[in-house]
Amino acid sequence: MGLTVSHLHKKYGEKTVVEDLSFSMEKPGVFALLGTNGAGKTTTIRIISGLLRPTSGKVWIDGIRAEKETRVLKSKIGYVPDFF
């Protein structure tokens, strides 16, 4: 198992901030999202960690749907933002 992101989209009104993002990684692993300001990195991490719901697409962590099982998900991951 691991992390799978499939066809992730996030829109705020008419503005698309994440468009058709897909990737996967197996455990154990470390990954990084790199990109310019406004590329959707923070939004993607917030969706993966269950803090935001995607407009469409799916996220699985160890076979658990991120937007369906947020309590279980939060016990499996750690997220430390650069601000509190």
Side-chain angles (χ1 to χ4, degrees):
M1 297 271 166
L3 169 66
T4 301
V5 174
S6 179
H7 302 288
L8 194 66
H9 292 262
K10 181 65 178 174
K11 291 179 82 171
Y12 293 104
E14 295 296 314
K15 183 174 175 128
T16 301
V17 294
V18 177
E19 184 174 15
D20 200 26
L21 177 64
S22 296
F23 65 91
S24 64
M25 64 174 274
E26 297 298 317
K27 283 185 5 180
V30 175
F31 76 97
L33 294 174
L34 303 174
T36 60
N37 289 344
K41 302 176 300 289
T42 300
T43 299
T44 300
I45 292 296
R46 288 181 178 166
I47 292 170
I48 290 170
S49 64
L51 298 174
L52 280 178
R53 289 192 172 270
T55 303
S56 64
K58 295 178 177 65
V59 175
W60 292 273
I61 296 177
D62 289 345
I64 298 167
R65 282 278 303 275
E67 61 275 15
K68 301 276 186 189
E69 303 276 346
T70 56
R71 279 201 157 155
V72 175
L73 172 73
K74 288 176 183 176
S75 73
K76 293 184 167 288
I77 63 171
Y79 170 57
V80 180
D82 60 349
F83 58 88
F84 297 101

PDB file of all heavy atoms in Angstrom, residues 25-64:
ATOM      1  N   MET A  25       2.812   6.362  -4.863  1.00  0.00           N
ATOM      2  CA  MET A  25       4.085   5.954  -4.266  1.00  0.00           C
ATOM      3  C   MET A  25       3.811   4.815  -3.296  1.00  0.00           C
ATOM      4  O   MET A  25       2.739   4.722  -2.714  1.00  0.00           O
ATOM      5  CB  MET A  25       4.783   7.115  -3.575  1.00  0.00           C
ATOM      6  CG  MET A  25       4.035   7.695  -2.389  1.00  0.00           C
ATOM      7  SD  MET A  25       4.972   8.937  -1.523  1.00  0.00           S
ATOM      8  CE  MET A  25       5.923   7.907  -0.424  1.00  0.00           C
ATOM      9  N   GLU A  26       4.764   3.938  -3.181  1.00  0.00           N
ATOM     10  CA  GLU A  26       4.658   2.799  -2.274  1.00  0.00           C
ATOM     11  C   GLU A  26       5.327   3.122  -0.950  1.00  0.00           C
ATOM     12  O   GLU A  26       6.194   3.986  -0.883  1.00  0.00           O
ATOM     13  CB  GLU A  26       5.309   1.568  -2.909  1.00  0.00           C
ATOM     14  CG  GLU A  26       4.627   1.107  -4.174  1.00  0.00           C
ATOM     15  CD  GLU A  26       3.188   0.678  -3.954  1.00  0.00           C
ATOM     16  OE1 GLU A  26       2.922  -0.015  -2.949  1.00  0.00           O
ATOM     17  OE2 GLU A  26       2.332   1.034  -4.781  1.00  0.00           O
ATOM     18  N   LYS A  27       4.917   2.399   0.093  1.00  0.00           N
ATOM     19  CA  LYS A  27       5.551   2.561   1.394  1.00  0.00           C
ATOM     20  C   LYS A  27       6.808   1.709   1.451  1.00  0.00           C
ATOM     21  O   LYS A  27       6.835   0.672   0.815  1.00  0.00           O
ATOM     22  CB  LYS A  27       4.601   2.094   2.498  1.00  0.00           C
ATOM     23  CG  LYS A  27       3.531   3.060   2.796  1.00  0.00           C
ATOM     24  CD  LYS A  27       2.600   2.761   3.939  1.00  0.00           C
ATOM     25  CE  LYS A  27       2.799   1.608   4.808  1.00  0.00           C
ATOM     26  NZ  LYS A  27       1.828   1.451   5.866  1.00  0.00           N
ATOM     27  N   PRO A  28       7.816   2.029   2.219  1.00  0.00           N
ATOM     28  CA  PRO A  28       8.011   3.336   2.825  1.00  0.00           C
ATOM     29  C   PRO A  28       8.490   4.315   1.777  1.00  0.00           C
ATOM     30  O   PRO A  28       9.061   3.914   0.761  1.00  0.00           O
ATOM     31  CB  PRO A  28       9.083   3.082   3.871  1.00  0.00           C
ATOM     32  CG  PRO A  28       9.885   1.948   3.304  1.00  0.00           C
ATOM     33  CD  PRO A  28       8.907   1.102   2.519  1.00  0.00           C
ATOM     34  N   GLY A  29       8.280   5.566   2.028  1.00  0.00           N
ATOM     35  CA  GLY A  29       8.705   6.539   1.044  1.00  0.00           C
ATOM     36  C   GLY A  29       8.579   7.958   1.534  1.00  0.00           C
ATOM     37  O   GLY A  29       7.902   8.241   2.510  1.00  0.00           O
ATOM     38  N   VAL A  30       9.258   8.816   0.846  1.00  0.00           N
ATOM     39  CA  VAL A  30       9.207  10.243   1.084  1.00  0.00           C
ATOM     40  C   VAL A  30       8.992  10.889  -0.268  1.00  0.00           C
ATOM     41  O   VAL A  30       9.576  10.457  -1.263  1.00  0.00           O
ATOM     42  CB  VAL A  30      10.533  10.760   1.701  1.00  0.00           C
ATOM     43  CG1 VAL A  30      10.524  12.257   1.829  1.00  0.00           C
ATOM     44  CG2 VAL A  30      10.779  10.102   3.047  1.00  0.00           C
ATOM     45  N   PHE A  31       8.127  11.890  -0.326  1.00  0.00           N
ATOM     46  CA  PHE A  31       7.955  12.582  -1.593  1.00  0.00           C
ATOM     47  C   PHE A  31       7.945  14.072  -1.351  1.00  0.00           C
ATOM     48  O   PHE A  31       7.751  14.533  -0.228  1.00  0.00           O
ATOM     49  CB  PHE A  31       6.697  12.127  -2.336  1.00  0.00           C
ATOM     50  CG  PHE A  31       5.414  12.670  -1.773  1.00  0.00           C
ATOM     51  CD1 PHE A  31       4.834  13.805  -2.335  1.00  0.00           C
ATOM     52  CD2 PHE A  31       4.788  12.072  -0.707  1.00  0.00           C
ATOM     53  CE1 PHE A  31       3.661  14.318  -1.828  1.00  0.00           C
ATOM     54  CE2 PHE A  31       3.610  12.579  -0.189  1.00  0.00           C
ATOM     55  CZ  PHE A  31       3.046  13.706  -0.748  1.00  0.00           C
ATOM     56  N   ALA A  32       8.183  14.812  -2.405  1.00  0.00           N
ATOM     57  CA  ALA A  32       8.184  16.269  -2.335  1.00  0.00           C
ATOM     58  C   ALA A  32       7.380  16.808  -3.504  1.00  0.00           C
ATOM     59  O   ALA A  32       7.406  16.241  -4.596  1.00  0.00           O
ATOM     60  CB  ALA A  32       9.610  16.811  -2.396  1.00  0.00           C
ATOM     61  N   LEU A  33       6.659  17.870  -3.253  1.00  0.00           N
ATOM     62  CA  LEU A  33       5.971  18.595  -4.320  1.00  0.00           C
ATOM     63  C   LEU A  33       6.743  19.884  -4.553  1.00  0.00           C
ATOM     64  O   LEU A  33       6.902  20.681  -3.627  1.00  0.00           O
ATOM     65  CB  LEU A  33       4.531  18.926  -3.919  1.00  0.00           C
ATOM     66  CG  LEU A  33       3.593  17.749  -3.745  1.00  0.00           C
ATOM     67  CD1 LEU A  33       2.251  18.221  -3.203  1.00  0.00           C
ATOM     68  CD2 LEU A  33       3.391  17.036  -5.066  1.00  0.00           C
ATOM     69  N   LEU A  34       7.224  20.057  -5.756  1.00  0.00           N
ATOM     70  CA  LEU A  34       7.994  21.243  -6.098  1.00  0.00           C
ATOM     71  C   LEU A  34       7.251  22.030  -7.156  1.00  0.00           C
ATOM     72  O   LEU A  34       6.655  21.450  -8.061  1.00  0.00           O
ATOM     73  CB  LEU A  34       9.374  20.845  -6.638  1.00  0.00           C
ATOM     74  CG  LEU A  34      10.238  19.981  -5.713  1.00  0.00           C
ATOM     75  CD1 LEU A  34      11.509  19.558  -6.441  1.00  0.00           C
ATOM     76  CD2 LEU A  34      10.577  20.737  -4.454  1.00  0.00           C
ATOM     77  N   GLY A  35       7.295  23.345  -7.045  1.00  0.00           N
ATOM     78  CA  GLY A  35       6.657  24.196  -8.038  1.00  0.00           C
ATOM     79  C   GLY A  35       6.681  25.644  -7.605  1.00  0.00           C
ATOM     80  O   GLY A  35       7.011  25.965  -6.468  1.00  0.00           O
ATOM     81  N   THR A  36       6.305  26.492  -8.502  1.00  0.00           N
ATOM     82  CA  THR A  36       6.286  27.925  -8.226  1.00  0.00           C
ATOM     83  C   THR A  36       5.129  28.280  -7.294  1.00  0.00           C
ATOM     84  O   THR A  36       4.230  27.465  -7.059  1.00  0.00           O
ATOM     85  CB  THR A  36       6.137  28.723  -9.539  1.00  0.00           C
ATOM     86  OG1 THR A  36       4.913  28.324 -10.159  1.00  0.00           O
ATOM     87  CG2 THR A  36       7.291  28.460 -10.483  1.00  0.00           C
ATOM     88  N   ASN A  37       5.146  29.497  -6.785  1.00  0.00           N
ATOM     89  CA  ASN A  37       4.035  29.978  -5.966  1.00  0.00           C
ATOM     90  C   ASN A  37       2.747  29.891  -6.771  1.00  0.00           C
ATOM     91  O   ASN A  37       2.714  30.239  -7.948  1.00  0.00           O
ATOM     92  CB  ASN A  37       4.262  31.427  -5.535  1.00  0.00           C
ATOM     93  CG  ASN A  37       5.367  31.553  -4.509  1.00  0.00           C
ATOM     94  OD1 ASN A  37       5.775  30.572  -3.900  1.00  0.00           O
ATOM     95  ND2 ASN A  37       5.843  32.765  -4.317  1.00  0.00           N
ATOM     96  N   GLY A  38       1.690  29.389  -6.132  1.00  0.00           N
ATOM     97  CA  GLY A  38       0.404  29.285  -6.803  1.00  0.00           C
ATOM     98  C   GLY A  38       0.237  28.038  -7.647  1.00  0.00           C
ATOM     99  O   GLY A  38      -0.759  27.892  -8.348  1.00  0.00           O
ATOM    100  N   ALA A  39       1.197  27.101  -7.575  1.00  0.00           N
ATOM    101  CA  ALA A  39       1.129  25.889  -8.400  1.00  0.00           C
ATOM    102  C   ALA A  39       0.159  24.845  -7.847  1.00  0.00           C
ATOM    103  O   ALA A  39      -0.145  23.884  -8.535  1.00  0.00           O
ATOM    104  CB  ALA A  39       2.520  25.280  -8.550  1.00  0.00           C
ATOM    105  N   GLY A  40      -0.290  25.004  -6.600  1.00  0.00           N
ATOM    106  CA  GLY A  40      -1.241  24.066  -6.012  1.00  0.00           C
ATOM    107  C   GLY A  40      -0.632  23.074  -5.041  1.00  0.00           C
ATOM    108  O   GLY A  40      -1.284  22.109  -4.632  1.00  0.00           O
ATOM    109  N   LYS A  41       0.613  23.304  -4.627  1.00  0.00           N
ATOM    110  CA  LYS A  41       1.299  22.374  -3.718  1.00  0.00           C
ATOM    111  C   LYS A  41       0.589  22.269  -2.371  1.00  0.00           C
ATOM    112  O   LYS A  41       0.283  21.170  -1.901  1.00  0.00           O
ATOM    113  CB  LYS A  41       2.747  22.815  -3.498  1.00  0.00           C
ATOM    114  CG  LYS A  41       3.580  22.925  -4.765  1.00  0.00           C
ATOM    115  CD  LYS A  41       4.966  23.468  -4.482  1.00  0.00           C
ATOM    116  CE  LYS A  41       5.002  24.850  -3.857  1.00  0.00           C
ATOM    117  NZ  LYS A  41       4.611  25.951  -4.741  1.00  0.00           N
ATOM    118  N   THR A  42       0.335  23.392  -1.735  1.00  0.00           N
ATOM    119  CA  THR A  42      -0.309  23.396  -0.421  1.00  0.00           C
ATOM    120  C   THR A  42      -1.720  22.845  -0.505  1.00  0.00           C
ATOM    121  O   THR A  42      -2.149  22.061   0.354  1.00  0.00           O
ATOM    122  CB  THR A  42      -0.311  24.819   0.169  1.00  0.00           C
ATOM    123  OG1 THR A  42       1.042  25.268   0.301  1.00  0.00           O
ATOM    124  CG2 THR A  42      -0.998  24.857   1.524  1.00  0.00           C
ATOM    125  N   THR A  43      -2.447  23.199  -1.535  1.00  0.00           N
ATOM    126  CA  THR A  43      -3.801  22.679  -1.720  1.00  0.00           C
ATOM    127  C   THR A  43      -3.769  21.165  -1.857  1.00  0.00           C
ATOM    128  O   THR A  43      -4.582  20.452  -1.243  1.00  0.00           O
ATOM    129  CB  THR A  43      -4.461  23.323  -2.956  1.00  0.00           C
ATOM    130  OG1 THR A  43      -4.527  24.736  -2.748  1.00  0.00           O
ATOM    131  CG2 THR A  43      -5.846  22.769  -3.201  1.00  0.00           C
ATOM    132  N   THR A  44      -2.824  20.642  -2.619  1.00  0.00           N
ATOM    133  CA  THR A  44      -2.703  19.196  -2.792  1.00  0.00           C
ATOM    134  C   THR A  44      -2.419  18.511  -1.458  1.00  0.00           C
ATOM    135  O   THR A  44      -3.061  17.511  -1.115  1.00  0.00           O
ATOM    136  CB  THR A  44      -1.596  18.867  -3.811  1.00  0.00           C
ATOM    137  OG1 THR A  44      -1.943  19.462  -5.073  1.00  0.00           O
ATOM    138  CG2 THR A  44      -1.407  17.368  -3.977  1.00  0.00           C
ATOM    139  N   ILE A  45      -1.486  19.039  -0.683  1.00  0.00           N
ATOM    140  CA  ILE A  45      -1.162  18.455   0.617  1.00  0.00           C
ATOM    141  C   ILE A  45      -2.365  18.510   1.552  1.00  0.00           C
ATOM    142  O   ILE A  45      -2.651  17.557   2.282  1.00  0.00           O
ATOM    143  CB  ILE A  45       0.052  19.161   1.246  1.00  0.00           C
ATOM    144  CG1 ILE A  45       1.322  18.853   0.453  1.00  0.00           C
ATOM    145  CG2 ILE A  45       0.220  18.762   2.710  1.00  0.00           C
ATOM    146  CD1 ILE A  45       1.744  17.405   0.460  1.00  0.00           C
ATOM    147  N   ARG A  46      -3.091  19.600   1.522  1.00  0.00           N
ATOM    148  CA  ARG A  46      -4.282  19.710   2.377  1.00  0.00           C
ATOM    149  C   ARG A  46      -5.367  18.714   1.977  1.00  0.00           C
ATOM    150  O   ARG A  46      -6.058  18.178   2.831  1.00  0.00           O
ATOM    151  CB  ARG A  46      -4.827  21.135   2.338  1.00  0.00           C
ATOM    152  CG  ARG A  46      -3.937  22.098   3.099  1.00  0.00           C
ATOM    153  CD  ARG A  46      -4.483  23.488   3.073  1.00  0.00           C
ATOM    154  NE  ARG A  46      -3.617  24.363   3.843  1.00  0.00           N
ATOM    155  CZ  ARG A  46      -3.661  25.675   3.796  1.00  0.00           C
ATOM    156  NH1 ARG A  46      -4.560  26.275   3.023  1.00  0.00           N
ATOM    157  NH2 ARG A  46      -2.841  26.400   4.527  1.00  0.00           N
ATOM    158  N   ILE A  47      -5.494  18.449   0.700  1.00  0.00           N
ATOM    159  CA  ILE A  47      -6.452  17.427   0.248  1.00  0.00           C
ATOM    160  C   ILE A  47      -5.979  16.043   0.683  1.00  0.00           C
ATOM    161  O   ILE A  47      -6.760  15.246   1.217  1.00  0.00           O
ATOM    162  CB  ILE A  47      -6.652  17.494  -1.280  1.00  0.00           C
ATOM    163  CG1 ILE A  47      -7.372  18.797  -1.657  1.00  0.00           C
ATOM    164  CG2 ILE A  47      -7.438  16.282  -1.776  1.00  0.00           C
ATOM    165  CD1 ILE A  47      -7.398  19.082  -3.143  1.00  0.00           C
ATOM    166  N   ILE A  48      -4.700  15.743   0.486  1.00  0.00           N
ATOM    167  CA  ILE A  48      -4.155  14.446   0.882  1.00  0.00           C
ATOM    168  C   ILE A  48      -4.326  14.219   2.381  1.00  0.00           C
ATOM    169  O   ILE A  48      -4.665  13.120   2.820  1.00  0.00           O
ATOM    170  CB  ILE A  48      -2.671  14.333   0.476  1.00  0.00           C
ATOM    171  CG1 ILE A  48      -2.546  14.241  -1.043  1.00  0.00           C
ATOM    172  CG2 ILE A  48      -2.003  13.130   1.143  1.00  0.00           C
ATOM    173  CD1 ILE A  48      -1.125  14.371  -1.554  1.00  0.00           C
ATOM    174  N   SER A  49      -4.136  15.263   3.167  1.00  0.00           N
ATOM    175  CA  SER A  49      -4.219  15.111   4.623  1.00  0.00           C
ATOM    176  C   SER A  49      -5.645  15.179   5.158  1.00  0.00           C
ATOM    177  O   SER A  49      -5.859  15.055   6.357  1.00  0.00           O
ATOM    178  CB  SER A  49      -3.351  16.167   5.306  1.00  0.00           C
ATOM    179  OG  SER A  49      -3.839  17.468   5.029  1.00  0.00           O
ATOM    180  N   GLY A  50      -6.620  15.369   4.285  1.00  0.00           N
ATOM    181  CA  GLY A  50      -8.014  15.381   4.709  1.00  0.00           C
ATOM    182  C   GLY A  50      -8.516  16.711   5.214  1.00  0.00           C
ATOM    183  O   GLY A  50      -9.622  16.802   5.740  1.00  0.00           O
ATOM    184  N   LEU A  51      -7.723  17.773   5.071  1.00  0.00           N
ATOM    185  CA  LEU A  51      -8.145  19.094   5.535  1.00  0.00           C
ATOM    186  C   LEU A  51      -9.038  19.810   4.530  1.00  0.00           C
ATOM    187  O   LEU A  51      -9.780  20.712   4.907  1.00  0.00           O
ATOM    188  CB  LEU A  51      -6.917  19.961   5.836  1.00  0.00           C
ATOM    189  CG  LEU A  51      -6.012  19.434   6.955  1.00  0.00           C
ATOM    190  CD1 LEU A  51      -4.759  20.287   7.062  1.00  0.00           C
ATOM    191  CD2 LEU A  51      -6.767  19.391   8.271  1.00  0.00           C
ATOM    192  N   LEU A  52      -8.940  19.442   3.262  1.00  0.00           N
ATOM    193  CA  LEU A  52      -9.779  20.000   2.194  1.00  0.00           C
ATOM    194  C   LEU A  52     -10.399  18.856   1.407  1.00  0.00           C
ATOM    195  O   LEU A  52      -9.812  17.787   1.300  1.00  0.00           O
ATOM    196  CB  LEU A  52      -8.947  20.827   1.201  1.00  0.00           C
ATOM    197  CG  LEU A  52      -8.547  22.231   1.532  1.00  0.00           C
ATOM    198  CD1 LEU A  52      -7.685  22.800   0.409  1.00  0.00           C
ATOM    199  CD2 LEU A  52      -9.739  23.115   1.772  1.00  0.00           C
ATOM    200  N   ARG A  53     -11.539  19.123   0.828  1.00  0.00           N
ATOM    201  CA  ARG A  53     -12.165  18.149  -0.079  1.00  0.00           C
ATOM    202  C   ARG A  53     -11.846  18.558  -1.519  1.00  0.00           C
ATOM    203  O   ARG A  53     -11.908  19.732  -1.852  1.00  0.00           O
ATOM    204  CB  ARG A  53     -13.672  18.129   0.114  1.00  0.00           C
ATOM    205  CG  ARG A  53     -14.087  17.515   1.428  1.00  0.00           C
ATOM    206  CD  ARG A  53     -15.582  17.256   1.423  1.00  0.00           C
ATOM    207  NE  ARG A  53     -15.972  16.495   2.577  1.00  0.00           N
ATOM    208  CZ  ARG A  53     -16.019  15.173   2.615  1.00  0.00           C
ATOM    209  NH1 ARG A  53     -15.694  14.470   1.556  1.00  0.00           N
ATOM    210  NH2 ARG A  53     -16.399  14.556   3.706  1.00  0.00           N
ATOM    211  N   PRO A  54     -11.532  17.585  -2.355  1.00  0.00           N
ATOM    212  CA  PRO A  54     -11.276  17.912  -3.761  1.00  0.00           C
ATOM    213  C   PRO A  54     -12.577  18.236  -4.481  1.00  0.00           C
ATOM    214  O   PRO A  54     -13.651  17.793  -4.070  1.00  0.00           O
ATOM    215  CB  PRO A  54     -10.662  16.627  -4.310  1.00  0.00           C
ATOM    216  CG  PRO A  54     -11.220  15.551  -3.455  1.00  0.00           C
ATOM    217  CD  PRO A  54     -11.393  16.152  -2.087  1.00  0.00           C
ATOM    218  N   THR A  55     -12.486  19.012  -5.546  1.00  0.00           N
ATOM    219  CA  THR A  55     -13.638  19.237  -6.415  1.00  0.00           C
ATOM    220  C   THR A  55     -13.997  17.930  -7.105  1.00  0.00           C
ATOM    221  O   THR A  55     -15.158  17.568  -7.220  1.00  0.00           O
ATOM    222  CB  THR A  55     -13.327  20.341  -7.439  1.00  0.00           C
ATOM    223  OG1 THR A  55     -12.952  21.528  -6.724  1.00  0.00           O
ATOM    224  CG2 THR A  55     -14.516  20.627  -8.319  1.00  0.00           C
ATOM    225  N   SER A  56     -12.974  17.204  -7.552  1.00  0.00           N
ATOM    226  CA  SER A  56     -13.157  15.854  -8.089  1.00  0.00           C
ATOM    227  C   SER A  56     -11.832  15.116  -7.982  1.00  0.00           C
ATOM    228  O   SER A  56     -10.799  15.711  -7.693  1.00  0.00           O
ATOM    229  CB  SER A  56     -13.657  15.892  -9.538  1.00  0.00           C
ATOM    230  OG  SER A  56     -12.693  16.482 -10.377  1.00  0.00           O
ATOM    231  N   GLY A  57     -11.877  13.820  -8.204  1.00  0.00           N
ATOM    232  CA  GLY A  57     -10.699  12.987  -8.079  1.00  0.00           C
ATOM    233  C   GLY A  57     -10.722  12.238  -6.767  1.00  0.00           C
ATOM    234  O   GLY A  57     -11.607  12.441  -5.927  1.00  0.00           O
ATOM    235  N   LYS A  58      -9.738  11.367  -6.590  1.00  0.00           N
ATOM    236  CA  LYS A  58      -9.695  10.519  -5.403  1.00  0.00           C
ATOM    237  C   LYS A  58      -8.280  10.430  -4.849  1.00  0.00           C
ATOM    238  O   LYS A  58      -7.308  10.486  -5.593  1.00  0.00           O
ATOM    239  CB  LYS A  58     -10.199   9.122  -5.747  1.00  0.00           C
ATOM    240  CG  LYS A  58     -11.661   9.096  -6.136  1.00  0.00           C
ATOM    241  CD  LYS A  58     -12.101   7.699  -6.510  1.00  0.00           C
ATOM    242  CE  LYS A  58     -13.578   7.642  -6.826  1.00  0.00           C
ATOM    243  NZ  LYS A  58     -13.994   8.373  -7.974  1.00  0.00           N
ATOM    244  N   VAL A  59      -8.212  10.263  -3.523  1.00  0.00           N
ATOM    245  CA  VAL A  59      -6.946  10.066  -2.822  1.00  0.00           C
ATOM    246  C   VAL A  59      -7.106   8.850  -1.916  1.00  0.00           C
ATOM    247  O   VAL A  59      -8.075   8.764  -1.163  1.00  0.00           O
ATOM    248  CB  VAL A  59      -6.578  11.303  -1.974  1.00  0.00           C
ATOM    249  CG1 VAL A  59      -5.324  11.042  -1.154  1.00  0.00           C
ATOM    250  CG2 VAL A  59      -6.392  12.534  -2.844  1.00  0.00           C
ATOM    251  N   TRP A  60      -6.158   7.923  -1.997  1.00  0.00           N
ATOM    252  CA  TRP A  60      -6.133   6.762  -1.115  1.00  0.00           C
ATOM    253  C   TRP A  60      -4.808   6.744  -0.371  1.00  0.00           C
ATOM    254  O   TRP A  60      -3.761   6.965  -0.963  1.00  0.00           O
ATOM    255  CB  TRP A  60      -6.222   5.450  -1.884  1.00  0.00           C
ATOM    256  CG  TRP A  60      -7.511   5.180  -2.559  1.00  0.00           C
ATOM    257  CD1 TRP A  60      -8.614   4.572  -2.029  1.00  0.00           C
ATOM    258  CD2 TRP A  60      -7.839   5.473  -3.920  1.00  0.00           C
ATOM    259  NE1 TRP A  60      -9.599   4.483  -2.968  1.00  0.00           N
ATOM    260  CE2 TRP A  60      -9.160   5.026  -4.141  1.00  0.00           C
ATOM    261  CE3 TRP A  60      -7.162   6.090  -4.971  1.00  0.00           C
ATOM    262  CZ2 TRP A  60      -9.802   5.157  -5.359  1.00  0.00           C
ATOM    263  CZ3 TRP A  60      -7.797   6.226  -6.178  1.00  0.00           C
ATOM    264  CH2 TRP A  60      -9.096   5.765  -6.367  1.00  0.00           C
ATOM    265  N   ILE A  61      -4.870   6.476   0.916  1.00  0.00           N
ATOM    266  CA  ILE A  61      -3.671   6.236   1.716  1.00  0.00           C
ATOM    267  C   ILE A  61      -3.873   4.890   2.388  1.00  0.00           C
ATOM    268  O   ILE A  61      -4.840   4.712   3.154  1.00  0.00           O
ATOM    269  CB  ILE A  61      -3.441   7.354   2.749  1.00  0.00           C
ATOM    270  CG1 ILE A  61      -3.171   8.669   2.033  1.00  0.00           C
ATOM    271  CG2 ILE A  61      -2.273   6.987   3.675  1.00  0.00           C
ATOM    272  CD1 ILE A  61      -2.997   9.861   2.926  1.00  0.00           C
ATOM    273  N   ASP A  62      -3.002   3.958   2.083  1.00  0.00           N
ATOM    274  CA  ASP A  62      -3.128   2.581   2.584  1.00  0.00           C
ATOM    275  C   ASP A  62      -4.524   2.013   2.331  1.00  0.00           C
ATOM    276  O   ASP A  62      -5.099   1.343   3.185  1.00  0.00           O
ATOM    277  CB  ASP A  62      -2.805   2.506   4.075  1.00  0.00           C
ATOM    278  CG  ASP A  62      -1.318   2.699   4.351  1.00  0.00           C
ATOM    279  OD1 ASP A  62      -0.524   2.600   3.400  1.00  0.00           O
ATOM    280  OD2 ASP A  62      -0.969   2.946   5.508  1.00  0.00           O
ATOM    281  N   GLY A  63      -5.081   2.289   1.176  1.00  0.00           N
ATOM    282  CA  GLY A  63      -6.388   1.763   0.807  1.00  0.00           C
ATOM    283  C   GLY A  63      -7.567   2.509   1.403  1.00  0.00           C
ATOM    284  O   GLY A  63      -8.708   2.119   1.211  1.00  0.00           O
ATOM    285  N   ILE A  64      -7.304   3.587   2.121  1.00  0.00           N
ATOM    286  CA  ILE A  64      -8.363   4.379   2.756  1.00  0.00           C
ATOM    287  C   ILE A  64      -8.622   5.615   1.914  1.00  0.00           C
ATOM    288  O   ILE A  64      -7.685   6.348   1.580  1.00  0.00           O
ATOM    289  CB  ILE A  64      -7.952   4.804   4.176  1.00  0.00           C
ATOM    290  CG1 ILE A  64      -7.726   3.572   5.050  1.00  0.00           C
ATOM    291  CG2 ILE A  64      -8.981   5.732   4.792  1.00  0.00           C
ATOM    292  CD1 ILE A  64      -7.035   3.881   6.355  1.00  0.00           C
TER     293      ILE A  64
END
